[in-house]
Each structure stands twice: as C-alpha cells, then as structure tokens.
C-alpha cells in the first residue's frame, strides 16, 4: 500500500529570507503556514505545545503531527495524521570518522562499502537523515544514543533495528537526494508502507504573506 505525503519546502537562499531570517517570527509562521495548508485551520486557531524533550507538538488541530527540518538554503515541513519525522541536510564533504565513532557498525559498513567518495558522502547523509528522522519521530532528540539503533537498506527496503535487543521496528521510510544537493528522509510511524513524497515549494506565497503580516 502506498502512502502519499506532502513536504512543504521553503527556499532560504534568496533575498527575502536573508532579510527576514533574524525576525523571530519567521520560523514560527512557517510551521503555522504548513499546518493551515494541510488542515485548513486558520492561524489564530492553531495551538502548539512541547513534549518533555522540547519537541514541538500540535494541540490544535487534534490528532495531527508536525515535523520541521532546516539546513543551509532549505527548510522542510511535513504535517501528518500519523507521527512522523523528517530531516533534510545539505550534502557536502565530511569526515567519515564521525560515522565510525557515533553510528552503529552496520551503518558504518554500509557507508564505507560504497565505491566512490561521492557515494560514501551520499550514504553518510542518507544514514544521518534517517537517524535524525527516527529520533524526531520518537521525540527524544539526542537523549537516545546514535549507535543504539541502525537504519540500513536491505533488498530495497530499510530495516530499523534496536541494536541492544535486536528488535526490528516497523515503520515506513522515504529517502532521496532532492534538488541535486540535499538528502531528504522521512519516517512514518506505520508499518511497511511505500511512501510517496510530493515536494511543494511554498517560498513565494509564504514570503508574500509573511511580508504582509510583518507590516501590519
């Protein structure tokens, strides 16, 4: 069974964002905008809270989940009826000893088995974003050790294993390299679905609305 999710994308490289990025409301209204786009609920009725680890959660609309990620030049948001984690990272050269030190052994082997440096960097960010997604889905952030679980592709599907008890967690996964330079991953807290992702660039409309809101 396929599940479709919309990923709201905000280009933060442009002139608008560079002028507004220090505005304390910019990131807040990005989340509100995405919730409204998903649910139809107006800004004044949307209510946020936090869990015990500081993860933003939606109080209204009820039974709705949100997750946001930011990297150099790009922000993404997913709003879902099911618990979800999303992460985006700009792919760049990185010291792969980070994976050796912090990742599970299976993940490190998956990364270093790649035949080229480009493939190794791509795999590093594939694993990194997947791990971030899982931590964000759990709502634990860095309170959970990165090597306490592994996420690797096996025969075309990802396997998520808690390494201490070797228990496999049943989730649904998506990963791709988007816009030629960003690793994007999504984990949905439902078992064995094929995730289809639609990227929806909201930059122009969002910045227009935000300018109007700031001027009021």
């Amino acid at each position: 069974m396929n599940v479709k999710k919309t990923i709201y994308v905000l280009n933060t490289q442009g002139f608008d964002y560079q002028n507004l990025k220090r505005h304390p409301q910019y990131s807040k209204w990005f989340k509100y905008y995405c919730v409204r786009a998903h649910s139809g609920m107006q800004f004044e009725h949307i209510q946020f809270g936090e869990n015990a680890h500081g993860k933003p959660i939606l109080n209204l609309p009820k039974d709705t989940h949100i997750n946001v990620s930011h990297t150099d030049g790009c922000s993404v948001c997913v709003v879902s009826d099911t618990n979800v984690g999303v992460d985006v990272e700009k792919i760049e050269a990185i010291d792969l000893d980070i994976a050796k030190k912090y990742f599970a052994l299976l993940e490190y082997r998956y990364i270093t088995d790649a035949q080229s440096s480009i493939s190794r960097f791509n795999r590093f960010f594939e694993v990194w974003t997947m791990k971030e997604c899982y931590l964000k889905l759990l709502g634990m952030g860095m309170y959970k050790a990165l090597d306490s679980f592994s996420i690797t592709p096996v025969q075309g599907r990802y396997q998520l294993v808690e390494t201490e008890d070797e228990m496999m967690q049943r989730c649904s996964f998506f990963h791709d390299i988007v816009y030629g330079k960003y690793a994007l991953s999504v984990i949905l807290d439902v078992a064995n679905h094929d995730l289809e992702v639609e990227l929806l660039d909201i930059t122009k409309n969002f910045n227009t609305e935000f300018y109007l809101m700031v001027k009021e």
Side-chain angles (χ1 to χ4, degrees):
M1 179 178 177
N2 289 1
V3 175
K4 295 183 178 180
K5 290 295 173 187
T6 298
I7 307 294
Y8 301 101
V9 180
L10 187 60
N11 182 339
T12 55
Q13 299 179 89
F15 177 79
D16 290 331
Y17 176 72
Q18 295 306 317
N19 280 347
L20 292 168
K21 66 181 179 180
R22 297 186 184 279
H23 195 291
Q25 298 295 314
Y26 195 80
S27 293
K28 173 185 175 181
W29 285 102
F30 173 50
K31 290 183 288 190
Y32 275 73
Y33 184 100
C34 296
V35 174
R36 186 188 67 182
H38 174 85
S39 67
M41 182 175 284
Q42 294 303 306
F43 289 176
E44 59 268 24
H45 301 302
I46 297 168
Q47 295 180 13
F48 278 92
E50 290 185 351
N51 73 1
H53 298 295
K55 176 186 176 181
I57 57 174
L58 274 167
N59 294 327
L60 286 176
K62 292 183 178 180
D63 302 318
T64 304
H65 303 264
I66 185 171
N67 211 239
V68 176
S69 181
H70 308 279
T71 192
D72 181 23
C74 182
S75 294
V76 296
C77 177
V78 58
V79 187
S80 172
D81 299 330
T82 307
N83 193 14
V84 63
V86 64
D87 193 54
V88 63
E89 300 289 343
K90 188 176 182 179
I91 298 172
E92 55 192 357
I94 196 165
D95 184 353
L96 296 180
D97 280 347
I98 294 172
K100 185 176 183 180
K101 184 175 182 180
Y102 294 107
F103 290 3
L105 181 58
L106 278 176
E107 296 167 330
Y108 179 68
R109 287 176 175 170
Y110 169 66
I111 292 165
T112 55
D113 281 349
Q115 298 300 306
S116 69
S117 59
I118 292 175
S119 295
R120 286 191 288 273
F121 293 142
N122 287 346
R123 286 189 179 191
F124 174 90
F125 283 100
E126 176 186 3
V127 172
W128 175 258
T129 54
M130 280 291 182
K131 292 176 86 66
E132 284 281 344
C133 285
Y134 186 52
L135 292 173
K136 293 167 79 173
L137 183 146
L138 295 175
M140 297 179 67
M142 291 302 177
Y143 290 93
K144 184 175 177 64
L146 289 174
D147 61 357
S148 67
F149 62 98
S150 67
I151 307 176
T152 52
V154 178
Q155 297 181 344
R157 284 185 176 269
Y158 287 95
Q159 286 189 357
L160 195 170
V161 180
E162 293 282 355
T163 51
E164 183 175 346
D165 55 14
E166 297 186 353
M167 288 290 293
M168 188 176 298
Q169 303 300 310
R170 302 294 182 180
C171 296
S172 299
F173 306 87
F174 171 87
H175 173 78
D176 201 3
I177 297 173
V178 299
Y179 304 125
K181 57 183 176 181
Y182 296 110
L184 174 67
S185 293
V186 180
I187 299 182
L188 194 66
D189 195 12
V190 295
N192 300 325
H193 287 68
D194 293 319
L195 291 186
E196 295 182 14
V197 164
E198 175 194 11
L199 299 180
L200 183 60
D201 189 335
I202 63 169
T203 307
K204 183 177 180 180
N205 290 340
F206 174 80
N207 281 334
T208 298
E209 284 201 31
F210 188 78
Y211 266 128
L212 293 174
M213 186 272 292
V214 169
K215 290 178 180 179
E216 288 180 355

